[in-house]
Amino acid sequence: MADNKRTSEKVQVDNIEQISGQEREVSSSTIQNDAVSSPSGEDPAEKVPVATIMAIFFMGLSYVPAISCGLVLPVGILAQIGQALNDMDNIGWIPGGWSVASAVSFAIAGGLSDIFGRRYVLIGGQVMVLIGAIIGATAHTTLIVACASTIIGFGAGMIFVSYPGITELLPNKYRGIGIGWTEFCINIPWAGFSVLIANELALNASWRWCYYIAIIYSVIVIVGTAIFYFPPSHPRHDYDKTRWQEFQELDFIGLALFTVGLTVFLVGLTYLGKSSYSVALVAATVTIGALVFIGGFVYDFTIPKNPIFPYHLFAMFKEFTVHLIILFIAGMIWQAVTTLAPQATLYMYTNKPIQIGITQIPCNLSGVIGGWILPSLVHKIKHVRQQIIFALIIQTVFTACYAAVIPGHKYAWMIFQMFGQCCFTWVTSLAYVASGLFVPQEELGVSAGLIGTFRSAGGSVGNAVFSTIATSIVNKQLGPRIAAAAIGAGYSPAGLEALIPAVIENAVGVPFAFAKTNASTAVIEATGHAFKETYAYAFRRVFLATIPFGIIGIIVAWFVKDPSSLLNNHIAIHQERDVLTGKRFIPGEKEQIEHRGEDGVEKQG
């Protein structure tokens, strides 16, 4: 017994290192990272408990109500929702509110989960998604639906703490499988067939079923998570502090600057994506928001003792910060295509909702390839750095190739999207896996949160920038091109004022659009062709404009530090319940939990 006690004490001492003059317990993952560079550092293979597998199952399933039903399905039928509620002006805030809220809450929730534990942050997010889904299902105005979407988005950001939550419970080499499971839940069948499913619901039942399904899933995942998920309640091992002490030490100023700055910035970008907006309002919100957002990081890097966004995390450029840059750029391209591709299909190929859904299936299923299949094989493929570079090359090349196939080659347009769009989820999954193997375990939540925030912010920037490019070109050229085609086909210039709106309405499927124009078949065909060519020209400019950004991303990716040597059997943490029951032994951990209550006060024995 004495020998065992001395051994345990020795392990405790060995797990303390001097950092900047302060003693801090080193996480098990940090110790392991130092050892795994050689075969002798390999941990023995360890069977993942059934309870842990069930916890991961429900964490992955949480993405269905938060993303698939709360965002992807409604976005596929925004026009139908607006028409049903007699308000088309505010439908843009349904995806916009979700995006802003999730981007803001992810980094905050990640940081808080590093302090208070991931269990209650995750369950809190699931409850928020349930509340938002109930509001959405009972809404009678578009603004209420947008409010519901915003609540769901904020809850989704909290649910995103399951990215580090899943990976830290699995052997390092299987972390890609865990991340892949979340993408499988999002895509099969929901996001993969989103436009088709959403339109079938709208046509044969009601758009509200998007939210009814979210309610059903939310109840299931809340119960399942509560039963099976028991991660460490003190990820930073600060068992000597009460919850109130931890709360008092929060970096409230840094959190406030980050939240306000990012919210104002993203709201400004959302306005920029609207068909009409105030230039002064957009310029003011984007500028002020960006300055406050940057100011939050400057403050955290210089003033607080316990910053929510520590400088040393960003100083890990090759291990962490480089992934923020890559995902910001890749997110710009991916989100632009995600937003504009259905519009391009509508304006250049078909105005039938079901056919649009079928045309977009390869694009939507790209997440299965890049988010599920390829990440699940990361421990077999390895060479993570080369995978990221290759994925960015594929994204850049195929996105540019879209310009060569529109509007004349429909099937090439469909298939190319599968390759171009799969790369973003591939790079995202690799970023979570790679950075998580280098970042200290006690900061895994905030690092994953920042990855999600920069990914979302890049998407918002890309959506605003590339949508503005397309809109500006169409606004300048659509009317003149239609007029020239009509006159060339023998139409009287005096009737152009009525003809041009009729051409646009006919293109999007409005019945009897030409009834009041007296346009001949030749005029209808000529103006329809001019309409398609105008949009094809605009979208070509957009797709070609992504090339410089893709090249920058490829160059930055050369600096990624490859974590392939760390894809081993090591498991960063075990569920607290397994430790207490003796199923998993971590020296000193059981004693710390048993002899300190939840309030952090040591028990007297």
PDB file of all heavy atoms in Angstrom, residues 3-16 587:
ATOM      1  N   ASP A   3       3.874   1.495  -1.164  1.00  0.00           N
ATOM      2  CA  ASP A   3       4.492   1.644  -2.480  1.00  0.00           C
ATOM      3  C   ASP A   3       3.519   2.247  -3.474  1.00  0.00           C
ATOM      4  O   ASP A   3       3.886   3.098  -4.287  1.00  0.00           O
ATOM      5  CB  ASP A   3       4.973   0.283  -2.988  1.00  0.00           C
ATOM      6  CG  ASP A   3       6.145  -0.243  -2.170  1.00  0.00           C
ATOM      7  OD1 ASP A   3       6.797   0.600  -1.508  1.00  0.00           O
ATOM      8  OD2 ASP A   3       6.395  -1.461  -2.215  1.00  0.00           O
ATOM      9  N   ASN A   4       2.272   1.819  -3.395  1.00  0.00           N
ATOM     10  CA  ASN A   4       1.270   2.354  -4.315  1.00  0.00           C
ATOM     11  C   ASN A   4       1.056   3.836  -4.074  1.00  0.00           C
ATOM     12  O   ASN A   4       0.878   4.622  -5.004  1.00  0.00           O
ATOM     13  CB  ASN A   4      -0.065   1.621  -4.157  1.00  0.00           C
ATOM     14  CG  ASN A   4      -0.001   0.210  -4.692  1.00  0.00           C
ATOM     15  OD1 ASN A   4       0.879  -0.104  -5.490  1.00  0.00           O
ATOM     16  ND2 ASN A   4      -0.927  -0.640  -4.238  1.00  0.00           N
ATOM     17  N   LYS A   5       1.050   4.229  -2.797  1.00  0.00           N
ATOM     18  CA  LYS A   5       0.844   5.627  -2.472  1.00  0.00           C
ATOM     19  C   LYS A   5       1.989   6.469  -2.991  1.00  0.00           C
ATOM     20  O   LYS A   5       1.794   7.543  -3.558  1.00  0.00           O
ATOM     21  CB  LYS A   5       0.701   5.787  -0.950  1.00  0.00           C
ATOM     22  CG  LYS A   5       0.440   7.236  -0.531  1.00  0.00           C
ATOM     23  CD  LYS A   5       0.231   7.341   0.975  1.00  0.00           C
ATOM     24  CE  LYS A   5      -0.038   8.795   1.374  1.00  0.00           C
ATOM     25  NZ  LYS A   5      -0.222   8.920   2.819  1.00  0.00           N
ATOM     26  N   ARG A   6       3.251   5.959  -2.807  1.00  0.00           N
ATOM     27  CA  ARG A   6       4.407   6.725  -3.292  1.00  0.00           C
ATOM     28  C   ARG A   6       4.376   6.819  -4.820  1.00  0.00           C
ATOM     29  O   ARG A   6       4.723   7.853  -5.393  1.00  0.00           O
ATOM     30  CB  ARG A   6       5.689   6.043  -2.819  1.00  0.00           C
ATOM     31  CG  ARG A   6       6.013   6.306  -1.362  1.00  0.00           C
ATOM     32  CD  ARG A   6       7.462   5.900  -1.057  1.00  0.00           C
ATOM     33  NE  ARG A   6       7.667   4.465  -1.220  1.00  0.00           N
ATOM     34  CZ  ARG A   6       7.501   3.578  -0.244  1.00  0.00           C
ATOM     35  NH1 ARG A   6       7.102   3.977   0.970  1.00  0.00           N
ATOM     36  NH2 ARG A   6       7.710   2.297  -0.454  1.00  0.00           N
ATOM     37  N   THR A   7       3.931   5.745  -5.486  1.00  0.00           N
ATOM     38  CA  THR A   7       3.850   5.773  -6.945  1.00  0.00           C
ATOM     39  C   THR A   7       2.848   6.814  -7.411  1.00  0.00           C
ATOM     40  O   THR A   7       3.088   7.577  -8.342  1.00  0.00           O
ATOM     41  CB  THR A   7       3.453   4.387  -7.485  1.00  0.00           C
ATOM     42  OG1 THR A   7       4.409   3.438  -7.051  1.00  0.00           O
ATOM     43  CG2 THR A   7       3.358   4.406  -9.006  1.00  0.00           C
ATOM     44  N   SER A   8       1.663   6.837  -6.730  1.00  0.00           N
ATOM     45  CA  SER A   8       0.638   7.818  -7.099  1.00  0.00           C
ATOM     46  C   SER A   8       1.135   9.235  -6.881  1.00  0.00           C
ATOM     47  O   SER A   8       0.920  10.121  -7.693  1.00  0.00           O
ATOM     48  CB  SER A   8      -0.639   7.576  -6.286  1.00  0.00           C
ATOM     49  OG  SER A   8      -1.607   8.549  -6.567  1.00  0.00           O
ATOM     50  N   GLU A   9       1.825   9.454  -5.725  1.00  0.00           N
ATOM     51  CA  GLU A   9       2.348  10.797  -5.449  1.00  0.00           C
ATOM     52  C   GLU A   9       3.380  11.202  -6.486  1.00  0.00           C
ATOM     53  O   GLU A   9       3.454  12.352  -6.909  1.00  0.00           O
ATOM     54  CB  GLU A   9       2.954  10.824  -4.040  1.00  0.00           C
ATOM     55  CG  GLU A   9       1.900  10.731  -2.931  1.00  0.00           C
ATOM     56  CD  GLU A   9       2.544  10.620  -1.558  1.00  0.00           C
ATOM     57  OE1 GLU A   9       3.787  10.412  -1.497  1.00  0.00           O
ATOM     58  OE2 GLU A   9       1.824  10.748  -0.553  1.00  0.00           O
ATOM     59  N   LYS A  10       4.207  10.226  -6.914  1.00  0.00           N
ATOM     60  CA  LYS A  10       5.223  10.538  -7.912  1.00  0.00           C
ATOM     61  C   LYS A  10       4.575  10.967  -9.231  1.00  0.00           C
ATOM     62  O   LYS A  10       5.011  11.922  -9.879  1.00  0.00           O
ATOM     63  CB  LYS A  10       6.122   9.323  -8.157  1.00  0.00           C
ATOM     64  CG  LYS A  10       7.268   9.604  -9.145  1.00  0.00           C
ATOM     65  CD  LYS A  10       8.129   8.390  -9.318  1.00  0.00           C
ATOM     66  CE  LYS A  10       9.333   8.701 -10.212  1.00  0.00           C
ATOM     67  NZ  LYS A  10       8.919   9.155 -11.546  1.00  0.00           N
ATOM     68  N   VAL A  11       3.472  10.266  -9.631  1.00  0.00           N
ATOM     69  CA  VAL A  11       2.779  10.638 -10.861  1.00  0.00           C
ATOM     70  C   VAL A  11       2.210  12.043 -10.740  1.00  0.00           C
ATOM     71  O   VAL A  11       2.277  12.849 -11.671  1.00  0.00           O
ATOM     72  CB  VAL A  11       1.655   9.620 -11.164  1.00  0.00           C
ATOM     73  CG1 VAL A  11       0.806  10.100 -12.329  1.00  0.00           C
ATOM     74  CG2 VAL A  11       2.234   8.254 -11.462  1.00  0.00           C
ATOM     75  N   GLN A  12       1.661  12.351  -9.549  1.00  0.00           N
ATOM     76  CA  GLN A  12       1.102  13.685  -9.345  1.00  0.00           C
ATOM     77  C   GLN A  12       2.181  14.747  -9.500  1.00  0.00           C
ATOM     78  O   GLN A  12       1.982  15.763 -10.134  1.00  0.00           O
ATOM     79  CB  GLN A  12       0.475  13.781  -7.941  1.00  0.00           C
ATOM     80  CG  GLN A  12      -0.721  12.875  -7.720  1.00  0.00           C
ATOM     81  CD  GLN A  12      -2.007  13.561  -8.126  1.00  0.00           C
ATOM     82  OE1 GLN A  12      -1.988  14.717  -8.492  1.00  0.00           O
ATOM     83  NE2 GLN A  12      -3.101  12.841  -8.057  1.00  0.00           N
ATOM     84  N   VAL A  13       3.340  14.495  -8.909  1.00  0.00           N
ATOM     85  CA  VAL A  13       4.431  15.465  -8.992  1.00  0.00           C
ATOM     86  C   VAL A  13       4.936  15.603 -10.416  1.00  0.00           C
ATOM     87  O   VAL A  13       5.223  16.693 -10.894  1.00  0.00           O
ATOM     88  CB  VAL A  13       5.583  15.050  -8.041  1.00  0.00           C
ATOM     89  CG1 VAL A  13       6.796  15.946  -8.262  1.00  0.00           C
ATOM     90  CG2 VAL A  13       5.127  15.123  -6.595  1.00  0.00           C
ATOM     91  N   ASP A  14       5.034  14.461 -11.100  1.00  0.00           N
ATOM     92  CA  ASP A  14       5.522  14.500 -12.474  1.00  0.00           C
ATOM     93  C   ASP A  14       4.589  15.260 -13.394  1.00  0.00           C
ATOM     94  O   ASP A  14       4.997  15.713 -14.460  1.00  0.00           O
ATOM     95  CB  ASP A  14       5.698  13.071 -13.020  1.00  0.00           C
ATOM     96  CG  ASP A  14       6.880  12.365 -12.360  1.00  0.00           C
ATOM     97  OD1 ASP A  14       7.704  13.085 -11.759  1.00  0.00           O
ATOM     98  OD2 ASP A  14       6.948  11.117 -12.440  1.00  0.00           O
ATOM     99  N   ASN A  15       3.318  15.381 -12.985  1.00  0.00           N
ATOM    100  CA  ASN A  15       2.352  16.071 -13.835  1.00  0.00           C
ATOM    101  C   ASN A  15       2.267  17.558 -13.532  1.00  0.00           C
ATOM    102  O   ASN A  15       1.282  18.208 -13.836  1.00  0.00           O
ATOM    103  CB  ASN A  15       0.953  15.456 -13.665  1.00  0.00           C
ATOM    104  CG  ASN A  15       0.854  14.128 -14.341  1.00  0.00           C
ATOM    105  OD1 ASN A  15       1.788  13.726 -15.033  1.00  0.00           O
ATOM    106  ND2 ASN A  15      -0.254  13.425 -14.146  1.00  0.00           N
ATOM    107  N   ILE A  16       3.286  18.088 -12.878  1.00  0.00           N
ATOM    108  CA  ILE A  16       3.337  19.523 -12.602  1.00  0.00           C
ATOM    109  C   ILE A  16       4.556  20.109 -13.293  1.00  0.00           C
ATOM    110  O   ILE A  16       5.645  19.577 -13.216  1.00  0.00           O
ATOM    111  CB  ILE A  16       3.456  19.811 -11.078  1.00  0.00           C
ATOM    112  CG1 ILE A  16       2.301  19.168 -10.316  1.00  0.00           C
ATOM    113  CG2 ILE A  16       3.525  21.290 -10.804  1.00  0.00           C
ATOM    114  CD1 ILE A  16       0.962  19.795 -10.627  1.00  0.00           C
ATOM    115  N   PRO A 587      -4.288   8.047 -12.303  1.00  0.00           N
ATOM    116  CA  PRO A 587      -3.654   8.305 -11.016  1.00  0.00           C
ATOM    117  C   PRO A 587      -4.043   9.659 -10.455  1.00  0.00           C
ATOM    118  O   PRO A 587      -3.875  10.686 -11.098  1.00  0.00           O
ATOM    119  CB  PRO A 587      -2.159   8.254 -11.353  1.00  0.00           C
ATOM    120  CG  PRO A 587      -2.069   7.388 -12.565  1.00  0.00           C
ATOM    121  CD  PRO A 587      -3.303   7.658 -13.334  1.00  0.00           C
TER     122      PRO A 587
END
